[in-house]
Amino acid sequence: MAQIDVINRSGEVVGSIELNDAVFAIEPNQQALFDAIIMQQAGKRQGTAATKGRSEVSGGGRKPYRQKGTGRARQGSIRAPQYRGGGTVFGPTPRDYSYKINKKVRRLALKSALSEKLAEEAFGVMDSLAMEAPKTKDFKAIVEAIQAPKKTLFIVGMGEDTDNAYMSSRNLPGISMMNSNGINVYDLVNANKIMLTEAAVKEIEEALA
């Protein structure tokens, strides 16, 4: 098992923790990462693009002219697609772009993303992120003390009291925070560094090992 230092809010090493190799030290599967990210991006699409067909546009209740005798091609409605103001042929309709991938692939993608961050040394563990009061200034001091780069993702345990820390981090650009049960491949890959609490590490290992 790999060992990594545990730091406090001042950036000082206060201990170490063993990481489960089955979660944090696998060979990253690039195909699983790709599939998971594409699935997430597809799920974010609104799918609200719409056009009206000939049965939906207004007007055109009668034939524009008689069937025979005019020398022109027969027409049934001035709202046919070839007319100005007519319906659209095969236009987009509201749809849901979301889909699911295999559960094993999702788990493999999460483990691949975590392992990649550890291998790139863009991974850190903190003892706790509990704060006495919600103060952006105090959380900014934590970010500077641990030398967190822009786009740092903090991951905390479900049972931890991190409400004040969450509220303190919201105004800092590039800083985001989520619970261990909310981790996803896109946010892990998109972050320049991920910082986990010890509790979050244990919960992720229990869920993915």
Side-chain angles (χ1 to χ4, degrees), residues 70-86:
T70 65
R72 300 178 66 190
R74 57 195 176 187
Q75 301 292 335
S77 168
I78 59 168
R79 290 301 174 241
Q82 69 268 28
Y83 282 104
R84 183 175 182 277

Side-chain angles (χ1 to χ4, degrees), residues 27 29 51 63 125 131 141:
E27 179 68 32
N29 187 305
T51 56
K63 283 173 73 68
V125 179
M131 294 178 65

Side-chain angles (χ1 to χ4, degrees), residues 3 22 25 27 36 48 82 89 105 110 126 128 133 138 146 154-157 163 175 177 180 196-197 203 205 207:
Q3 246 189 2
E27 179 68 32
T48 54
Q82 69 268 28
V89 182
V105 177
L110 283 171
M126 299 182 68
S128 171
D138 291 350
I146 66 174
F154 289 88
I155 303 172
V156 298
D163 290 345
I175 301 297
M177 185 180 295
S180 60
L196 294 80
T197 61
E203 289 173 3
E205 286 181 342

Side-chain angles (χ1 to χ4, degrees), residues 46-107:
Q46 287 185 322
T48 54
T51 56
K52 290 184 178 181
R54 63 182 295 170
S55 64
E56 298 169 307
V57 292
S58 60
R62 61 179 177 81
K63 283 173 73 68
Y65 46 82
R66 59 198 174 101
Q67 179 85 344
K68 291 180 171 291
T70 65
R72 300 178 66 190
R74 57 195 176 187
Q75 301 292 335
S77 168
I78 59 168
R79 290 301 174 241
Q82 69 268 28
Y83 282 104
R84 183 175 182 277
T88 301
V89 182
F90 302 134
T93 54
R95 55 168 289 193
D96 180 10
Y97 285 94
S98 65
Y99 64 94
K100 290 184 178 180
I101 59 176
N102 189 293
K103 186 176 180 181
K104 287 183 180 179
V105 177
R106 290 204 310 271
R107 289 165 64 91

Side-chain angles (χ1 to χ4, degrees), residues 9 127-133 142 156 160-165 197:
R9 292 184 299 170
D127 57 352
S128 171
L129 267 174
M131 294 178 65
E132 294 178 1
I142 295 172
V156 298
E160 292 186 277
D161 181 15
T162 54
D163 290 345
N164 288 336
T197 61

